[in-house]
Structures are given as C-alpha cells and as structure tokens.
Amino acid sequence: MNPLLNLLEHGQSYWLDNLTRPMIESGELRRRVEQEGLRGVTSNPSTFQKAIAESAAYRESIAQRVAESTADIDPARIGEALMVADIQAACEVLRPVHEQSEGWDGYVSLEVSPHLAYHAEASVEEARRLWHAVDRPNVMIKIPGTIPGLAAIEQLLFEGINVNITLLFSVPRYEAVAEAYLRALERRAQEGRPLAPIASVASFFLSRIDVLVDELLANRFLPGPGGDSEPRRLLGKAAIANAKLAYQSFKRIIASQRFKALEAKGAKAQRLLWASTGTKNPEYRDVMYVEPLIGPYTVNTMPEATIRAFAEHGTVEDTLEQDLEEARWVMDRLAALGIDFDQVAAQLESEGVRKFIQPYDHLLEFLADQCRRLRQQRDLEPLKALSRKLRRQIIAMTTEAGSGHPTSSLSAADIVAALLFRVMRWDPRDPKARNVDSFILSKGHAAPILWAALHEAGAMDEDPLSLRRLGSPYEGHPTPTCPWIKVATGSLGQGLAAANGLALANRLDGIPAKVYCLLGDGECSEGAVWEAAQFASLNRLSGLVAIVDVNGLEQSEPAPYRHDTGVLARRFAAFGWKTFEVDGHDLTALLEAFHQAGQDGPAAVLARTVKGKGVSFLEGAPGWHGRALNREEAERALAELGDATVRLAVPPQRVGPYQPQTPPPPPVLEADYALGAQVATRQAFGKALAQLGRTMPQLVVLDGDVKNSTYTEWFAKAFPERFFQGYIAEQNLAGVALGLAVSGKLPVVATFAAFLSRAYDFIRMAGHSHPPGLVFCGSHAGVSIGEDGPSQMGLEDIALFRALLASTVLYPCDGVSALRLTEAALTTPGIVYLRTTRAATPVIYGPNERFPVGGSKLLRTSARDRFTVVAAGVTVHEALAAHQRLAAQGVAIRVVDAYSVRPLDQDTLMRAARETAALVVVEDHFAAGGLGDAVARAVSGTVPVHQLAVTRQPRSGTPGELLELEGISRQAIERTILALSAEPDPG
C-alpha cells in the first residue's frame, strides 16, 4: 500500500509544497487528491516564480491583461492575479477534502509579499486583500513568524482569516505564535464570534536548520582520529531534535485548561506543519524529515521529490514522541559546543525572508519584461506610423526653410520616435524638470527630427515650418533658444562629454534617470568621443546610453567604415561599454536594445540606418547632405511616405522624487596669509576650493591629472564624491563640466593653462549654451613657469576666454587675491576663467581686502605720477619692483593691479589716462588678445598704450631669465619708463 495513504491513520496529513497551472489544468492535482491522499497545498514566491517563468501556461493570461490595460501596467498586480487564479482553482479541487474533514484539511496557502515580513500593518492590509480576492473558505494566508508578524497573525485570525505561519525555526518563537493564536481565539470568543471556522498551522522549518548547524559543527572538528567524535555524532540531528521538542510544547498547549475552554466552543488546534522537508545533503536519507516526525495533529508539506521517495520506500509509524531524551541531549550538546540556537534561528529567519524576496523580485522582473514586450508589440504599428509622420514633417520643414539636413534627420527618425514616445521618462510640459530622462542630439545637424518630435509630443507650440527663421526656437543646430536644449551642439563630437556631465549630476542628486545621446557615425572620428567613452566607463555611468546613427554617409563621401557597426562596437567595448548592434529601422530591436542598455555601466547602441530613409531617391544617395528638397521633390517624397494621422500621447513622467536645494551664500573665507609670505596663487586656489566645499554642496571639481600641481587634491581628499579625475583629456573635461553646470552643479575645471587650448572648441560651444556657472582655472601660465619650456606655457589663454561673447577673466597676483577671486569666480554667473601662476609670490594684500569683479587695485599712486603701469598676476610684482627702482631715480609711476581682466575697471584706467602721460601694460602672455589689447580698447585712444608682452619665441630658462628675455621684467619696465621719460613732451 502507498505509505502516503497510511499517514492519515497516524494523525498526519501530507500537503504538496508546489503549485502550477499545468498541474491544475492537466488533472494531476485532482488525481493526487483523489488517489494519493493529498490533503493540502502550500505555495511560496519561489514556487510561483519558477512556475510562471518556466511554463507557457501563463502567457495567454498575461497577454490578455496587457491587451486590456489602458494605463501603466503594474507587474505586481498581474502576478497577484495569476497567483490568485491558481489558488482559487486549487481550492476548488481541494474543497471536498475541506468539507469532509470539517475544516481540518483541504487548504491552499498563499503568501503575502516577503517584503512585508517586518511590517505588521502592511501585512494585515495585504492579507485582507488577498483573502477577499481568493474568496474561498479553504485558503490560508501565509505570514512569516517574525516578531512584527506576531501582531499581524493575531489580528488576522481574530478577523476570521485562516493563517499559515511560516519561517519558524525555534521552540520559543513557535510558542509565541501559539500564544498569538490563543489570544485571537479568546478575543473572538469574547465578542461572540464563532471559533470553528478558524484554521491555522505553524510551519516549522527543518532541512535549513541542519544545513547551517552542520556547517557550525564542521568548524569544530579536531584533527586526528577520535578527536571530533561528538560534533560528528550531532551532524544532521538538530532539525529533528528541535521539531520533537516543539511538538512537546504543542502537546502542553492543547492540554492546557486555556485551550480546552476554547476547544469546548469549537476551536481547532493550531497544528504543527513540518516544512523544508526536502533533504539537501545527498549523504542523508531522502525521507529523513518525514519518517521521524509522524504523529497526531501534524502536517508534512513535501516537495515532489520527497513525495515520490516516501511513496517508494517510506515507513509509517508513530515516531514523533520517540527518542525524546536524545532530542534533549542533542540540543544540550549543541549549546555545550558553543552553538547558540537562538542565533541560529535568527540567522535562518533573516536568510529565509531574503530567499523569498529574491524569487519574488525575479518574478516581478520577469512579468515586467513580459508586459513590456507585449505592450511593444501592441503599440508597434502606431509607432511605425509616427515615424512616418515625423519624416513627413522633416521634409516639409527643410523644404520650407530652403536649407537644412533632411537626409541625416530621416535616418534617425525611428531612433528618436522610439526614445521620445516609448522609452524616455519625461514631461512634455516641463523643460526644466531634473528628475527625468534626458536627450542630447550630438549630431546637431539632424535638428529637424528633434524639432518635429518635440512639436509632435506637445512640448513645443511654435510652427515647425519656422525652421531656421530669425526669432524661431527651431534653429539650424540645437541651442538653448529652444527651452528643451540643455547644451548647444552641432560642432561634432561634443555631445557625449556633456552627457557624461548630466549623468554625473544625476548620480550626485540621487536621480535614477537615464541620459541618451545620439551621435552620428561620422563624428566618431573625433577623438573627443573616445575621451568621453573612457570617462564614462571609468566612472561607471550606468544611466548613460550612446546611440550611434550608422547611416554610412558623411558630407562628402562614405563614412570610414560605412555600415560596419562592428568596428564602433569593438571600440566602445574596449573602453568597457556594453554594446548592442541593431537595425536602426527595426523598432522592436531598438526598443529591446534601449531596455537592456544602461543598466550596469554605460551602453552603446550601434544602429545601422539608411541616410534618407523612407524616400527612395534619397536612400543611401550621395550628394544630399545639407541639401533641402525643392517643392517638386518634396511632393514626390511626401507621396512616397504616405499619409500619417496617428497621434501618440506622451504621458508626463518623473524618475523618482527630487527636491532642489538652494544652498545659502558661502561665508567669507579667512585669508590667513601674512604680508610678505611666499604663496603660489595655485596653492591659494586649492585651499579656497577645499574650504568652500564645506558650504557649497553644488561645488564639483574636475582635474586633468594635475591635482598635485593645482592643489585640487585638497578638495579631492575632503570631498571625494564631488571630485572627478578626467586624466589627460581636456575636451572631455570641458564637456563634462558643461553638462554638470546645466544640471544645477557648480563645476570647476583645473589644469595647466596651456592645455585648455585643446578644449577651446568645447569652451566656445559652452558659451553658446549659457551655463549658469562654469569655472576654468588655468595654472602654470606664462613664461614665468621657467625651465619646462614653451609647450607648457599658457600664453594664449586670456585671448581665448576674452574672445567669448560673455565671459569673466580673473588674474590674481598673490595668495589673498587668489583666495578672494576664487570666491568671486564661484559666485559669478556664466563662464569664468581664473589664471594662476606656478611660482610663489609675496603676499601684498591684507586679509580683509576685497576684490569685486570689474575692479582693480591702485597699488602705487601720487600726484607726481608721470606714467601708469598696468599689470596682472606675476607682472604686478615686477611693476612694484620697477616702481621702487624708478622712485630712486626721481621718476614717479602709478601701478594698477588689473586683477579683473574682463570686465576691466574702465573708470580707473580712464582716470589714469587723464592724469598720466601714457599707460604701459605688462603681461606674461602673447601680445595679441591679452591684457594690453583689453586696456587699449578700454581707453579708446585717449592716451598712448605701450604693451610689454611675450613677443619672442619662449625658451627653457629660469623665470627671471625668461621675463627679461621677453621684455616683461622689472628691468624692462624700468627701461621703458625711462625711455618714455626721455621723449619730448608732445604738447
């Protein structure tokens, strides 16, 4: 006879620890109930996850719910609906058992979310909902027997909800659960509610105990024969011993007068249920958690393998109260060996919750993925029609404008449609929102596709046919004239670096958003792209997704690798990016790639496209780059594209909560430098950053592998999370800084002044982006750096920054002014350039001196001044020394520290022009575009301006030798002034 059928004669029911829809639909579950004595079923997140993920039986139900959904699809609700349906069906199969046993058996268990294991109120709320959703008298709601769970268990039982208490590992915790059961029944009795319908089991876990205890015992084995006999004797015995002692507690409880009084009113005993009865150690018997634990008022819930094994060779007899003394001895010896069973139980409970959370979350991830795929298929045709509609708009816009890049836009239409209308989480009503996904069009000449998409999404009201007209937000290349554009693009190769900055800002603000950057294959010849790729990988920018529109054609000829996406994929992969090579016109492939991209490190989607896609005479045809169709050609193109009246709404979305912070103004720094002390301005700059970092949480510093020279290492040490090493890649540094700046951060880029020239196109484009605040610090400027030679000398930097439409240029000469001007730079809007010097110079200003932007300092002045020397930075000290030398010769000069090169202190300069015979400007910079040109322009020919600047080929040498070689030393100033003094007065 099947041993399973004999268990009931000994007071034990066996339940199945598994439930699947195929098991129900095939009749297997009914057969087991009717022929093999099965009297109940338990489920858990692990069993459902395996069933739903591995069986096709659930696919139709999932598809139906997706098809019926008109709003966002909640995977948790779909998963719950699938589980509830299975539980209901299983309850119907087991209902005869439930009725015949008068409510003792025939139960099917359904567990609340394991995430609620330590939240009583939330567990009660979810259990009520599941109870009513299943709506069957023979369902049990599973609640973990944690300390917070005890209150939930009592409340649910009091309300008449059957409860299976799970994850019990110790006798004391079982007794606490039994107490909760008794209190619930007593409360019901006091209110006159019936007790007979209430059923509950306390699930005592077994094999997991032995796995952990055996591991602890193995740590206590001694080397040599016979030295470890006791720990070995205890292997595999803890779980059975613990269960037998729990059963003794159960017997005491049901024998108590307290329970007898409840039983007289119809109450059932809360049976012990043996769970986790599958043998995990292959050296142990496969029925070791069944045979020793057979007795009245118990349930053994077995996995299928254990059921088969017991049916084949199991032995049935009353064993539960055998060997009780051995059970007590086992528990005593474990304690003697230092194994604290309370700690064992606590660890197993924590691990048990985690082991249920993992499959539960995996199930939700699986369902989310299934829903996403089904929704994509459902929405595919409308999305295709939208792409066609955008292509029609591109043709209309560029033809009306008579210029533009229609073919480059047509190749990207499917990519942009997929991103803006299906993938990105953004709000078409709010261009300033931070907690949204972002898009940067690095291939800026394809602006028409972006303008068409923004207008179609309802983000822009202006007529797209105003493309390229004066006053239209739809410019030829993206600029912030359109409120949706964060950074100006169009100078190719720059978008990815800016996207890095956006992604960094998201990380700093805790915003789990993604940043999408669309590049062209042609611009991937730019080295700046690979500087950005390296930076993104080194900083693990998981939210960053680069999409390369590989249309194979550049302006004048085919792209270097035509449609071979593998070349670019290998390059990105070499930098540590995940790569996806797809057909850029296959919307299903695009959507799948976008879903997988950017989840663990940066990702690149290499999309093979056709330039001019959708119009036969444009597809892959050379000679159409930057050329609009005439009216006749446009009509032909629109006819081929066909009508498209679809309208896809973009629901406003946010990515998590975000509350912008407005930090208070930073306090004035203490300038604790003694007069005459030798301090390098680069050192004072580093000190100021480190101090300001404490009160300016928005301050971010980027270094070009010179942090020990610029002293930004002090900031890095104090605020490592806001310091980013960009290495020797100045283009990327500038682009990242711009991305940070337009995202609410205050970035400071520090490197040698000479090397900023590499990044000048990025700086130029940053000017067109109008960042709220962006600071560049160029150190080691001028020939005064000495022996390193001309390659290291920044001699063009002032001219470069002065050439921007709007910029501020500051040039301190000592430690105090460097500290104060660093403060000023960080509170001045727009792009600010701070020029610092390598050598230490004497402190000439007191600690309370202030340096407003647009000001200057009159260091030496008298009524007898014949000439004015205007200097900045290192030449201020040369001018002061020349003043002293000339004074000894009876020649008085005025000395101006023009620390604010732009804007200049024009009032002071004009007064000097009126009161002295000439201005002599001394600067450690090339003559063109520097301080001399600025001063000459400021005084506008009202007085002669003589420029002493670097005009000879610089060489290696000492700072003093080089200043003299270039004619900007104190001696050169002295000679110039004496020569001017010797000239006859023109009046």
Side-chain angles (χ1 to χ4, degrees):
M1 185 176 181
N2 187 340
L4 294 167
L5 298 173
N6 290 343
L7 287 172
L8 194 59
E9 297 176 6
H10 295 261
Q12 185 172 88
S13 301
Y14 89 89
W15 293 2
L16 172 63
D17 189 18
N18 190 24
L19 181 63
T20 69
R21 187 162 295 182
M23 181 190 300
I24 299 168
E25 293 177 344
S26 67
E28 180 187 353
L29 180 63
R30 186 175 299 278
R31 179 187 60 78
R32 288 187 172 191
V33 170
E34 294 176 353
Q35 300 178 19
E36 297 180 2
L38 181 67
R39 300 182 66 79
V41 172
T42 58
S43 68
N44 59 55
S46 182
T47 59
F48 268 123
Q49 188 269 334
K50 184 177 177 64
I52 295 173
E54 296 182 3
S55 171
Y58 297 89
R59 300 293 193 272
E60 185 177 343
S61 295
I62 298 172
Q64 181 179 353
R65 291 185 175 274
V66 171
E68 294 171 351
S69 174
T70 57
D72 286 343
I73 301 167
D74 184 353
R77 289 290 170 259
I78 289 183
E80 181 180 299
L82 296 174
M83 290 185 281
V84 165
D86 284 2
I87 295 293
Q88 289 175 323
C91 282
E92 291 304 315
V93 173
L94 282 153
R95 186 187 287 266
V97 176
H98 183 256
E99 294 172 349
Q100 292 162 11
S101 65
E102 297 182 339
W104 280 95
D105 268 321
Y107 289 98
V108 183
S109 297
L110 174 61
E111 188 158 354
V112 298
S113 165
H115 286 286
L116 307 180
Y118 300 101
H119 303 278
E121 291 183 7
S123 292
V124 169
E125 182 179 344
E126 179 155 320
R128 287 173 182 150
R129 186 167 50 76
L130 292 175
W131 171 263
H132 292 295
V134 175
D135 193 23
R136 300 293 188 275
N138 56 328
V139 66
M140 278 189 174
I141 305 300
K142 292 177 76 173
I143 303 288
T146 60
I147 293 296
L150 295 174
I153 292 162
E154 178 181 342
Q155 181 61 29
L156 292 169
L157 289 167
F158 166 72
E159 293 179 14
I161 296 174
N162 302 324
V163 180
N164 176 343
I165 298 91
T166 186
L167 292 179
L168 299 178
F169 296 95
S170 70
V171 174
R173 185 60 56 83
Y174 158 67
E175 291 174 343
V177 165
E179 174 65 22
Y181 179 67
L182 294 174
R183 284 199 304 266
L185 294 180
E186 288 168 343
R187 288 170 59 194
R188 286 183 66 85
Q190 289 172 2
E191 293 194 7
R193 301 186 185 188
L195 305 186
I198 307 302
S200 179
V201 293
S203 298
F204 216 78
F205 279 56
L206 302 174
S207 64
R208 296 186 190 182
I209 292 176
D210 280 338
V211 169
L212 178 55
V213 172
D214 283 3
E215 180 181 332
L216 297 174
L217 288 170
N219 293 335
R220 289 160 172 77
F221 290 173
L222 295 176
D228 56 359
S229 59
E230 184 171 85
R232 289 189 185 277
R233 284 181 57 196
L234 294 172
L235 290 173
K237 294 189 175 182
I240 298 299
N242 193 41
K244 288 179 179 286
L245 296 181
Y247 187 71
Q248 293 305 300
S249 291
F250 165 78
K251 286 187 64 181
R252 286 193 295 272
I253 291 168
I254 64 171
S256 68
Q257 289 301 314
R258 184 180 179 189
F259 178 74
K260 292 295 184 183
L262 293 168
E263 187 178 37
K265 297 178 181 179
K268 297 182 180 68
Q270 183 188 52
R271 291 183 294 172
L272 276 169
L273 180 149
W274 311 128
S276 183
T277 58
T279 305
K280 293 180 170 56
N281 189 331
E283 296 182 5
Y284 295 163
R285 274 176 53 78
D286 53 6
V287 292
M288 69 173 287
Y289 298 113
V290 183
E291 289 180 339
L293 297 175
I294 300 173
Y297 293 108
T298 60
V299 176
N300 196 310
T301 180
M302 309 180 208
E304 296 190 58
T306 304
I307 289 175
R308 287 194 299 270
F310 192 77
E312 290 173 0
H313 50 262
T315 300
V316 180
E317 60 177 291
D318 289 327
T319 55
L320 191 47
E321 296 193 79
Q322 296 176 7
D323 304 320
L324 291 177
E325 287 306 313
E326 180 183 0
R328 295 187 181 96
W329 176 83
V330 167
M331 302 306 289
D332 289 342
R333 295 318 302 158
L334 290 175
L337 289 169
I339 296 175
D340 186 330
F341 207 81
D342 288 340
Q343 291 185 2
V344 168
Q347 179 177 334
L348 288 171
E349 178 186 286
S350 178
E351 290 176 353
V353 171
R354 188 167 62 251
K355 287 178 180 179
F356 281 158
I357 285 176
Q358 289 172 346
Y360 179 85
D361 288 347
H362 290 160
L363 173 59
L364 296 189
E365 291 168 5
F366 171 80
L367 289 171
D369 187 64
Q370 290 296 305
C371 293
R372 178 185 58 80
R373 291 172 184 269
L374 289 165
R375 185 174 58 185
Q376 284 178 5
Q377 289 301 118
R378 181 189 69 183
D379 298 344
L380 197 58
E381 289 307 315
L383 192 58
K384 288 180 180 178
L386 180 75
S387 294
R388 191 165 66 253
K389 187 176 184 180
L390 295 179
R391 287 188 168 97
R392 290 179 59 85
Q393 187 69 275
I394 290 165
I395 298 297
M397 293 166 68
T398 53
T399 296
E400 179 68 22
S403 64
H405 297 76
T407 56
S408 300
S409 301
L410 292 172
S411 67
D414 298 305
I415 296 170
V416 173
L419 283 173
L420 268 66
F421 289 86
R422 281 294 175 262
V423 175
M424 287 176 55
R425 299 158 296 177
W426 64 295
D427 185 349
R429 306 168 305 181
D430 188 0
K432 295 184 179 180
R434 276 281 293 120
N435 53 332
V436 293
D437 292 335
S438 301
F439 178 76
I440 292 180
L441 183 64
S442 188
K443 52 172 288 182
H445 54 284
I449 179 56
L450 179 56
W451 304 147
L454 288 173
H455 181 266
E456 181 65 23
M460 297 287 288
D461 295 327
E462 290 84 355
D463 184 358
L465 297 183
S466 67
L467 174 69
R468 293 179 164 235
R469 291 180 189 167
L470 184 62
S472 170
Y474 306 121
E475 299 211 62
H477 291 73
T479 73
T481 301
C482 170
W484 291 97
I485 303 304
K486 294 180 171 65
V487 296
T489 58
S491 184
L492 294 175
Q494 298 196 16
L496 191 56
N500 282 340
L502 267 64
L504 279 183
N506 286 342
R507 176 187 293 175
L508 291 170
D509 288 336
I511 299 172
K514 290 187 177 181
V515 180
Y516 296 92
C517 180
L518 178 57
L519 303 92
D521 50 352
E523 70 178 302
C524 289
S525 293
E526 288 279 4
V529 170
W530 307 110
E531 289 185 16
Q534 173 180 279
F535 182 89
S537 178
L538 292 175
N539 287 279
R540 303 296 301 167
L541 297 183
S542 294
L544 179 63
V545 181
I547 309 103
V548 183
D549 180 2
V550 187
N551 63 33
L553 285 176
E554 295 193 16
Q555 175 171 331
S556 62
E557 61 180 81
Y561 305 103
R562 300 177 187 262
H563 283 103
D564 186 355
T565 57
V567 174
L568 295 175
R570 289 190 294 274
R571 288 183 184 177
F572 276 105
F575 283 104
W577 288 53
K578 286 187 176 179
T579 60
F580 304 87
E581 298 178 64
V582 299
D583 178 344
H585 302 304
D586 182 341
L587 286 166
T588 299
L590 283 170
L591 292 169
E592 185 60 29
F594 292 145
H595 172 70
Q596 296 183 38
Q599 295 181 0
D600 181 23
V605 177
L606 296 314
R608 292 181 304 276
T609 64
V610 177
K611 198 165 186 176
K613 178 67 175 178
V615 180
S616 62
F617 60 90
L618 297 179
E619 289 188 353
W624 282 96
H625 185 92
R627 175 183 161 192
L629 281 66
N630 61 35
R631 299 289 180 185
E632 181 183 346
E633 291 165 338
E635 289 178 7
R636 287 173 55 201
L638 294 174
E640 285 192 22
L641 287 166
D643 291 334
T645 57
V646 66
R647 188 64 185 259
L648 294 186
V650 178
Q653 295 183 74
R654 290 290 197 278
V655 184
Y658 172 69
Q659 186 63 43
Q661 302 295 322
T662 303
V668 176
L669 298 181
E670 181 179 352
D672 53 353
Y673 295 122
L675 288 173
Q678 294 288 322
V679 179
T681 54
R682 59 191 172 106
Q683 187 182 56
F685 160 75
K687 178 180 179 180
L689 288 182
Q691 292 184 16
L692 290 166
R694 292 195 291 267
T695 56
M696 300 181 77
Q698 75 277 31
L699 179 60
V700 180
V701 175
L702 301 102
D703 170 61
D705 192 32
V706 291
K707 65 179 184 288
N708 55 340
S709 294
T710 60
Y711 291 93
T712 55
E713 61 184 358
W714 294 344
F715 184 94
K717 183 177 181 180
F719 310 102
E721 73 286 353
R722 289 189 276 140
F723 176 86
F724 297 98
Q725 179 56 261
Y727 299 99
I728 305 169
E730 290 81 7
Q731 295 180 93
N732 180 68
L733 277 177
V736 171
L738 175 60
L740 286 162
V742 299
S743 301
K745 302 303 170 189
L746 181 52
V748 176
V749 177
T751 187
F752 289 1
F755 304 150
L756 285 171
S757 60
R758 290 177 176 169
Y760 188 63
D761 190 39
F762 279 75
I763 297 169
R764 176 184 73 86
M765 289 298 293
H768 295 307
S769 298
H770 311 298
L774 172 55
V775 178
F776 292 91
C777 179
S779 179
H780 292 60
V783 299
S784 62
I785 69 167
E787 291 84 353
D788 281 341
S791 69
Q792 309 298 298
M793 298 171 176
L795 295 166
E796 313 86 357
D797 50 322
I798 292 177
L800 298 183
F801 281 93
R802 281 190 62 236
L804 300 177
L805 181 62
S807 64
T808 299
V809 180
L810 306 173
Y811 191 5
C813 71
D814 77 339
V816 172
S817 61
L819 187 143
R820 294 285 175 241
L821 290 175
T822 302
E823 287 181 297
L826 296 181
T827 55
T828 298
I831 296 176
V832 180
Y833 178 56
L834 183 68
R835 194 180 206 233
T836 61
T837 305
R838 179 181 195 174
T841 53
V843 173
I844 63 174
Y845 292 113
N848 297 320
E849 195 76 32
R850 294 291 177 261
F851 294 81
V853 172
S856 66
K857 295 295 180 182
L858 269 176
L859 298 178
R860 301 288 187 272
T861 185
S862 73
R864 298 181 297 105
D865 292 342
R866 296 184 60 189
F867 303 99
T868 298
V869 176
V870 182
V874 69
T875 59
V876 168
H877 303 280
E878 300 302 309
L880 291 174
H883 175 277
Q884 186 174 359
R885 295 165 68 101
L886 289 165
Q889 302 175 58
V891 179
I893 63 170
R894 185 171 301 181
V895 178
V896 176
D897 176 4
Y899 65 82
S900 180
V901 177
R902 188 186 192 199
L904 272 174
D905 184 355
Q906 190 169 12
D907 290 344
T908 295
L909 294 174
M910 289 300 295
R911 185 167 65 251
R914 291 191 299 271
E915 296 175 359
T916 61
L919 304 185
V920 177
V921 183
V922 190
E923 58 182 319
D924 192 359
H925 185 276
F926 282 148
L931 177 62
D933 279 1
V935 171
R937 182 177 181 182
V939 298
S940 303
T942 58
V943 68
V945 176
H946 302 273
Q947 292 181 250
L948 303 184
V950 176
T951 57
R952 302 179 66 179
Q953 174 61 44
R955 303 288 300 275
S956 292
T958 66
E961 290 172 336
L962 294 174
L963 292 175
E964 177 63 18
L965 173 70
E966 298 295 346
I968 55 175
S969 64
R970 59 195 66 186
Q971 297 91 339
I973 298 171
E974 178 187 3
R975 290 193 298 269
T976 299
I977 294 296
L978 290 175
L980 290 174
S981 299
E983 292 180 1
D985 189 339

